[in-house]
């Protein structure tokens, strides 16, 4: 597994006009033993890869498809090609232009069809792996009866791994739409809709594509990406002579300085908030359990638990949070609606007392319900000035802890 030094040094290289990297959110930056790298497993361009031993980031290969941002549980990677706001606007425009249907098309197909379709009627993404559940739920709230994801030849496409991501997103969205009683359907199609055809420009558009050559057209997105990334790296003040990004130890301390209660900083990813807002706007869900790629339900074996509360320390969203009552009762509370199923708590627990259930109650997602796990007093008190624990706590509240 990649170490914290490796992940910090490498993940920063992804920063470009296409991708913003929030290093402090990455599960592996927060805990080097976290079991993640979903970005490397799903990267559609080979930009992030992991062969079981070595993690490699090749920013020049990034096409800005945003698939990594879709699979990242903590939204440590944020896509800008287009941004979520721009893509939502384009999808809503497609919905308005197509009377109840929204079309989202992949760049590979749309590039081949350039000039032959009305660009306002189809929102473009480089790869369908860019589409996430919050976008689909937003379209349901906007009254879409159908969303069509238009793909090219995924099996032959150099970026075909994004298709599996898109299928996982559609599966999740379909479950949520059914539970919330929304009548919208989502389907894939390999064809552009006839309603989007630009009759007047058809012949000239076709001639233009033939003149450019299909190979040149297909490569256009990659050339743009390389240029943009090279410019970004060239401007980076923290690039060394070879162009590799150097991470200042003090930056790491800044990213990960521990808060007063001893936990790492928390955040709720924007996409999750938007998705929950859209689901709330759709109304009340059925009172059923839902199993999706998005949320988890933490179950703690309190007999095995050693009361260290490290799960709450590393939880990125605060879905697991410490509590102490006036009578001294203490433990952690779990809020499934804030859980992003990153599995950081499971990975950090020294007693293997945590399991993540894949199922959550749909009503709990909107109700903000919490579960309480009361812990037994620790056999050894850690908060006295002469213990290693106290020393480490003091160091972690300064920048010293990550100095090299
Ligand atoms: S998917 Fe996100 S959290 Fe997981 S390793 Fe990649 S950047 Fe970090
Ligand atoms: S409760 Fe566990 S799985 Fe859920 S967000 Fe927190 S650390 Fe990740």
């Amino acid at each position: 597994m990649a170490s914290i030094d490796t992940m910090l040094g490498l993940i920063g290289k992804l920063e470009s006009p296409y991708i913003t990297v929030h290093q402090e959110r990455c599960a592996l930056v927060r805990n080097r033993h976290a079991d993640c790298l979903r970005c490397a497993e799903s990267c559609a361009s080979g930009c992030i890869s992991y062969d079981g031993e070595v993690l490699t980031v090749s920013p020049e290969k990034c096409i800005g498809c945003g698939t990594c941002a879709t699979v990242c549980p903590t939204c440590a990677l944020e896509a800008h090609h287009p941004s979520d706001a721009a893509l939502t606007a384009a999808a809503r425009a497609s919905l308005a232009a197509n009377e109840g249907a929204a079309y989202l098309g992949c760049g590979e197909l749309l590039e081949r069809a350039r000039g032959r379709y009305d660009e306002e009627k189809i929102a473009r993404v480089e790869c369908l792996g860019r589409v996430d559940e919050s976008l689909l739920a937003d379209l349901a709230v906007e009254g879409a009866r159908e969303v069509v994801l238009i793909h090219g030849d995924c099996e032959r496409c150099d970026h075909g791994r994004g298709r599996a991501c898109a299928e996982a997103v559609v599966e999740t969205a379909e479950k949520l739409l059914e539970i919330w009683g929304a009548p919208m359907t989502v389907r894939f199609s390999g064809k552009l809709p006839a309603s989007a055809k630009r009759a007047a420009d058809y012949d000239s558009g076709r001639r233009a594509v033939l003149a450019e050559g299909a190979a040149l057209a297909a490569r256009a997105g990659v050339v743009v990406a390389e240029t943009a990334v090279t410019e970004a790296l060239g401007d980076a003040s923290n690039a060394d002579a070879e162009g590799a990004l150097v991470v200042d130890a003090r930056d790491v301390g800044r990213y990960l300085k521990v808060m007063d209660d001893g936990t790492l900083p928390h955040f709720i990813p924007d996409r999750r908030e938007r998705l929950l807002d859209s689901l709330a706007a759709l109304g009340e869900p059925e009172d059923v359990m839902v199993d999706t790629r998005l949320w988890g339900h933490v179950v703690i074996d309190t007999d095995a638990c050693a009361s260290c509360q490290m799960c709450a320390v590393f939880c990125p969203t605060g879905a697991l949070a410490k509590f102490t009552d006036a009578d001294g009762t203490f433990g952690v509370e779990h809020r499934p609606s804030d859980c992003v199923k990153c599995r950081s708590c499971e990975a950090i627990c020294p007693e293997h007392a945590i399991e993540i259930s894949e199922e959550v109650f749909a009503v709990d997602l909107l109700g903000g319900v919490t579960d309480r796990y009361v812990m037994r007093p620790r056999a050894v008190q850690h908060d006295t000035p002469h213990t290693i624990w106290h020393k480490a706590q003091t160091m972690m509240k300064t920048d010293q802890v990550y100095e090299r």
Side-chain angles (χ1 to χ4, degrees):
M1 181 53 72
S3 74
I4 185 169
D5 288 341
T6 309
M7 199 53 180
L8 268 166
L10 287 175
I11 198 168
K13 290 168 75 176
L14 284 175
E15 183 83 28
S16 78
Y18 291 164
I19 301 286
T20 294
V21 181
H22 302 281
Q23 301 207 56
E24 76 286 4
R25 297 183 172 195
C26 170
L28 267 173
V29 168
R30 294 167 71 94
N31 168 18
R32 63 191 296 180
H33 300 299
D35 186 15
C36 199
L37 282 182
R38 289 175 220 181
C39 47
E41 287 162 12
S42 302
C43 175
S45 66
C47 171
I48 322 169
S49 61
Y50 183 60
D51 66 4
E53 291 186 9
V54 179
L55 178 68
T56 308
V57 175
S58 311
E60 73 283 358
K61 292 183 181 172
C62 178
I63 58 165
C65 69
T67 302
C68 58
T70 303
V71 298
C72 178
T74 61
C75 292
L77 305 171
E78 185 182 352
H80 294 294
H81 184 53
S83 67
D84 280 6
L87 180 55
T88 300
R92 287 183 181 181
S94 169
L95 177 62
N98 292 295
E99 296 171 357
Y103 295 99
L104 297 149
C106 88
E108 192 273 331
L109 180 75
L110 296 185
E111 204 58 52
R112 281 192 278 126
R114 192 208 295 236
R116 289 182 285 157
Y117 71 95
D118 185 338
E119 293 180 10
E120 286 203 355
K121 291 190 171 177
I122 303 178
R124 174 175 171 149
V125 289
E126 286 314 302
C127 173
L128 293 179
R130 171 72 178 77
V131 176
D132 83 308
E133 294 86 350
S134 68
L135 174 64
L136 296 175
D138 178 85
L139 292 168
V141 173
E142 291 297 306
R145 68 168 190 284
E146 180 181 50
V147 174
V148 184
L149 304 180
I150 307 168
H151 56 83
D153 187 350
C154 297
E155 286 188 10
R156 294 192 188 172
C157 177
D158 289 344
H159 318 300
R161 287 170 91 183
R163 175 63 182 270
C165 173
E167 287 176 359
V169 166
V170 169
E171 185 186 336
T172 303
E174 284 177 334
K175 283 183 191 173
L176 296 174
L177 293 170
E178 185 183 347
I179 290 170
W180 261 264
M184 187 180 94
T185 59
V186 187
R187 67 178 170 90
F188 288 93
S189 171
K191 292 181 180 158
L192 291 170
S195 59
K197 194 165 150 185
R198 281 175 68 176
D201 294 348
Y202 180 83
D203 287 338
S204 59
R206 188 157 179 266
R207 274 198 298 278
V209 171
L210 289 174
E212 281 181 38
L216 185 60
R219 284 187 52 224
V222 176
V223 173
V224 170
E226 284 175 355
T227 307
V229 170
T230 305
E231 283 171 1
L233 289 176
D235 288 348
S237 57
N238 55 343
D240 69 10
E242 281 79 45
L245 290 186
V246 178
V247 177
D248 187 301
R250 292 188 184 280
D251 280 350
V252 183
R254 174 166 58 82
Y255 291 132
L256 292 175
K257 196 160 19 173
V258 176
M259 300 193 296
D260 284 345
D261 69 349
T263 63
L264 290 172
H266 301 144
F267 55 86
I268 303 288
D270 292 352
R271 283 181 172 183
R272 290 303 177 92
E273 292 203 72
R274 288 201 302 271
L275 176 57
L276 288 173
D277 286 348
S278 291
L279 292 176
L282 288 173
E284 293 295 319
E286 279 181 62
D287 190 7
V288 294
M289 290 188 107
V290 54
D291 168 1
T292 69
R293 74 183 191 100
L294 297 177
W295 294 280
H297 190 159
V298 168
V299 180
I300 299 179
D301 177 349
T302 49
D303 289 334
C305 171
S307 309
C308 67
Q309 297 178 304
M310 293 302 275
C311 48
V313 170
F314 283 89
C315 176
T317 64
L320 270 174
K322 297 179 183 180
F323 75 84
T324 304
D325 291 342
D327 64 359
T329 304
F330 76 100
V332 295
E333 286 179 332
H334 175 57
R335 186 187 296 260
S337 58
D338 291 346
C339 177
V340 294
K341 204 154 67 174
C342 67
R343 299 186 181 277
S344 295
C345 50
E346 204 176 38
I348 198 68
C349 179
E351 307 298 330
H352 307 291
I354 290 185
E355 271 188 41
I356 312 285
S357 164
E358 304 288 326
E359 294 184 316
V360 295
F361 279 104
V363 287
D364 289 355
L365 296 178
L366 299 189
V369 169
T370 56
D371 295 330
R372 261 196 158 199
Y373 292 98
V374 173
M375 296 178 173
R376 290 170 298 186
R378 289 182 285 261
V380 178
Q381 292 300 317
H382 298 287
D383 300 335
T384 54
H386 305 295
T387 59
I388 294 172
W389 169 257
H390 185 271
K391 178 75 175 165
Q393 286 265 302
T394 306
M395 289 172 66
M396 288 175 83
K397 286 175 183 171
T398 72
D399 290 348
Q400 298 171 38
V401 70
Y402 292 108
E403 270 186 356
R404 299 177 191 170

